[in-house]
Amino acid sequence: MTGRRDILLFGGLALVWGTSFAAIEVGLATLPPILFAALRFDVAALLFAVAVALTGASWRPQTRADWLLIAVGGGLLIGAHFALLFLGQSYVSSGVAAVVLSLTPIVTPPLALALLPQARIRPPAVLGILLGLVGVTVIAIGGGSLDGQAAGVALLFGSAIVFALGSVLTERTNGTLPIVSLQAWAMGLGAVVLHTLSGLHPAETITGLEINFAALAALAYLAIVATGGGFFAYFVLLERIGSTELSLVNYAVPVVAAVVGWLALGESITIGTLAGFTLILLGFALCKLGALWQTAAPAVGYGPYRPSDPDGVVVGGNVYVTTEDERRHGTGVRGNVVAAD
């Protein structure tokens, strides 16, 4: 990320998704967890449907792959993922929930290895996966209650695995629908799945349910800002900076969530949570060692770089510039080697 717009979008995305955990915490004080998630995607699906209509995007699924992507998106990435997320956060603080979900990029490689023929896992990534699992265990044990924090962490860990599985299955499938149309379909199906799960859950009931202003505000924030605005920023950044740099948002979000939870909700930040997050962060770095180095190397002076001279060209790590005579006569760049890495 070198442009101001990219940095602002990245910071905005981390802020919006980080504060969404505090919004979930506020809504859970009044609403049953799975029903709360379902209502979020009722509104979000409507917003995306309006976006499809306004943009004139193609909305009819044409191929089997389109229907498969809708099923995976609605059933796993939204339905199962958010059901487990909202249930899990009903046991733990917003900061802990965000930290455990930051494990998603670490549990993705083994699932990719099992499902994608071309996937490979290097030894550092194996160590990274183990460190991530240790980090989650540290966070779970830190609560000191097998039926409290540990149960919430287990549900959130399941949420991370389900999301990683959905991501891998999506990578295997090439559909024809525009992303806005695919999201509208997936969110609509996800809302149906969540309402069904809420109806089947014995602890969820709407009898005597009272929705106060705080819950409505939290619902509006999650549906409009976190989902609508967040997904827009995510896909813009995905196209501009790529998945490796963008995946770092998974580690900015827990920091925002922990600070907002501490300031706004009075949640504590324990040593165990910090230690677990550190292990997860180290695990991610090991899993993405090669990609992170390719991203960071030019910034610290390694690898090919662009010269300051506008007439320069980088070839194989060497910088060539045209001579004044060549520029005057319009001849090609043969000139002089002025730097080599």
Side-chain angles (χ1 to χ4, degrees), residues 1-318:
M1 286 177 289
T2 55
R4 179 179 297 178
R5 185 173 74 166
D6 294 341
I7 294 172
L8 288 175
L9 276 174
F10 185 92
L13 181 61
L15 179 64
V16 166
W17 281 0
T19 51
S20 69
F21 287 90
I24 293 172
E25 196 76 17
V26 170
L28 288 175
T30 304
L31 293 166
I34 305 178
L35 178 61
F36 185 19
L39 293 173
R40 170 184 181 173
F41 285 99
D42 286 339
V43 179
L46 180 60
L47 290 176
F48 272 79
V50 171
V52 171
L54 291 177
T55 59
S58 173
W59 63 274
R60 294 177 183 271
Q62 301 291 330
T63 66
R64 182 180 178 184
D66 289 338
W67 288 110
L68 180 59
L69 286 171
I70 292 170
V72 171
L76 292 178
L77 294 175
I78 293 177
H81 167 64
F82 281 96
L84 292 170
L85 191 162
F86 278 59
L87 279 171
Q89 194 172 330
S90 66
Y91 290 93
V92 302
S93 68
S94 59
V96 168
V99 168
V100 177
L101 280 184
S102 69
L103 190 69
T104 302
I106 297 178
V107 299
T108 301
L111 291 171
L113 182 66
L115 297 173
L116 300 178
Q118 72 276 20
R120 298 291 184 271
I121 296 183
R122 298 179 181 274
V126 175
L127 178 58
I129 293 167
L130 294 175
L131 279 177
L133 294 175
V134 172
V136 170
T137 303
V138 168
I139 295 170
I141 294 175
S145 173
L146 292 179
D147 61 350
Q149 176 147 318
V153 169
L155 289 166
L156 290 161
F157 183 46
S159 177
I161 292 176
V162 165
F163 192 87
L165 176 61
S167 300
V168 171
L169 292 175
T170 298
E171 186 176 343
R172 294 184 59 182
T173 310
N174 295 314
T176 63
L177 281 174
I179 190 65
V180 65
S181 302
L182 178 60
Q183 291 296 327
W185 277 100
M187 288 179 185
L189 176 59
V192 172
V193 171
L194 287 165
H195 277 293
T196 302
L197 292 174
S198 176
L200 295 174
H201 196 290
E204 298 220 348
T205 177
I206 59 173
T207 304
L209 184 65
E210 295 183 4
I211 303 179
N212 56 26
F213 176 78
L216 287 175
L219 178 61
Y221 182 83
L222 288 170
I224 299 171
V225 181
T227 304
F231 271 82
F232 174 78
Y234 178 86
F235 287 112
V236 170
L237 284 169
L238 185 63
E239 182 178 349
R240 290 179 60 83
I241 68 176
S243 59
T244 298
E245 285 194 64
L246 185 52
S247 64
L248 294 175
V249 79
N250 290 286
Y251 300 97
V253 165
V255 176
V256 173
V259 172
V260 171
W262 174 55
L263 291 174
L265 304 176
E267 296 177 348
S268 62
I269 304 174
T270 67
I271 301 253
T273 299
L274 291 175
F277 177 62
T278 301
L279 289 170
I280 292 173
L281 185 59
L282 289 173
F284 169 81
L286 288 170
C287 287
K288 300 289 186 180
L289 199 57
L292 288 174
W293 175 248
Q294 289 176 5
T295 300
V300 295
Y302 289 89
Y305 59 91
R306 296 184 182 276
S308 57
D309 190 323
D311 297 305
V313 177
V314 179
V315 180
N318 300 317

